[in-house]
Amino acid sequence: KTEVKELLKEEREKKEATGEVKKDTLFEKLKIATKVESTIVENDINALIPKDYIKNDTERLNIYRRLFETQTNEELELMQKELRDRFGDYLEDVENLLKIVSVKIKATEIELQKITLRGKGASLFFPPNKEHPIFTSEFFNKIISFISTDKTRKFNISSNKEQLEIEVRMDSTDDEKRLEELNKILNI
């Protein structure tokens, strides 16, 4: 994550220095004004674009940036196709990265604030505003109904005064299985 931030910063500084990007342009202001607040996804999944898959740092950074900006599954599918066409089949690291982007897209549609996925645990963080539309959404009603009838006791509702958090005990520590399980929860 730090490598990506550093590369993005360097790339932006280069473009600003050469005049390719002007600070505070109307276009940039419009992009910021219309930007949807994406769900933060923190995880310990092995998910990256290895240097041996995309050797050029600038190109790899560009792909990371485009993945970060992806907002729909259609855009993600186009990115997957482009990666295969330009760089060949990808390994598990890249596949996991694409699955995390898919999780982020779904969680953003639902309007979750944050998801953490570490070890055998996952947490879904809801917006702190108790009047947020998510609390009257189909997803919220379904997950609360599911939790209330679930006999496995793998869910825990942890509500501090600031924010609702649903903790989930995952069935596996395998990256692929955890991502699949998280995806099932988001598509409940």
Side-chain angles (χ1 to χ4, degrees):
K1 292 178 188 175
T2 306
E3 175 191 7
V4 173
K5 287 179 185 177
E6 299 269 334
L7 289 171
L8 282 171
K9 183 179 176 189
E10 288 174 21
E11 191 69 20
R12 175 90 178 160
E13 288 171 355
K14 284 181 197 173
K15 287 185 177 183
E16 286 173 358
T18 61
E20 287 181 49
V21 172
K22 305 273 190 277
K23 288 184 180 178
D24 298 325
T25 63
L26 179 59
F27 177 72
E28 289 294 316
K29 288 178 182 175
L30 284 172
K31 270 178 50 178
I32 291 167
T34 60
K35 188 173 181 179
V36 174
E37 192 68 33
S38 291
T39 300
I40 297 165
V41 179
E42 296 177 355
N43 65 82
D44 61 358
I45 303 283
N46 191 16
L48 60 107
I49 301 172
K51 286 186 178 192
D52 59 346
Y53 183 64
I54 300 177
K55 293 172 182 26
N56 182 295
D57 288 345
T58 303
E59 190 62 42
R60 196 170 58 259
L61 173 63
N62 185 40
I63 297 295
Y64 273 122
R65 180 188 54 76
R66 289 175 54 208
L67 283 170
F68 178 76
E69 293 172 353
T70 300
Q71 294 182 9
T72 66
N73 285 316
E74 292 77 22
E75 290 175 14
L76 181 58
E77 287 171 17
L78 289 172
M79 286 289 300
Q80 289 171 316
K81 184 177 178 345
E82 179 183 340
L83 286 172
R84 281 193 184 101
D85 289 348
R86 291 179 62 197
F87 306 105
D89 289 334
Y90 40 79
L91 298 175
E92 187 177 347
D93 296 353
V94 177
E95 183 67 33
N96 287 343
L97 179 62
L98 296 169
K99 286 179 181 178
I100 290 169
V101 172
S102 177
V103 163
K104 184 185 98 170
I105 290 168
K106 182 63 180 177
T108 300
E109 287 172 10
I110 294 169
E111 298 187 62
L112 288 170
Q113 185 178 35
K114 181 170 98 172
I115 293 177
T116 61
L117 183 60
R118 291 196 173 82
K120 286 188 88 168
S123 294
L124 310 178
F125 293 87
F126 290 77
N129 177 0
K130 306 293 186 244
E131 303 298 317
H132 192 282
I134 193 172
F135 295 109
T136 57
S137 71
E138 182 180 358
F139 170 77
F140 186 75
N141 290 330
K142 283 184 175 180
I143 197 157
I144 294 301
S145 176
F146 182 79
I147 291 170
S148 65
T149 60
D150 181 49
K151 305 282 189 241
T152 65
R153 305 184 83 179
K154 64 188 284 177
F155 293 92
N156 182 40
I157 296 176
S158 171
S159 178
N160 61 33
K161 291 181 180 168
E162 302 297 318
Q163 183 173 38
L164 172 66
E165 174 186 355
I166 295 179
E167 299 168 340
V168 184
R169 187 176 22 85
M170 307 300 274
D171 293 331
S172 175
T173 57
D174 177 73
D175 289 349
E176 184 177 348
K177 289 178 181 173
R178 290 188 299 156
L179 285 168
E180 285 174 15
E181 189 173 357
L182 181 57
N183 211 7
K184 285 179 186 174
I185 292 166
L186 295 176
N187 287 289
I188 199 161

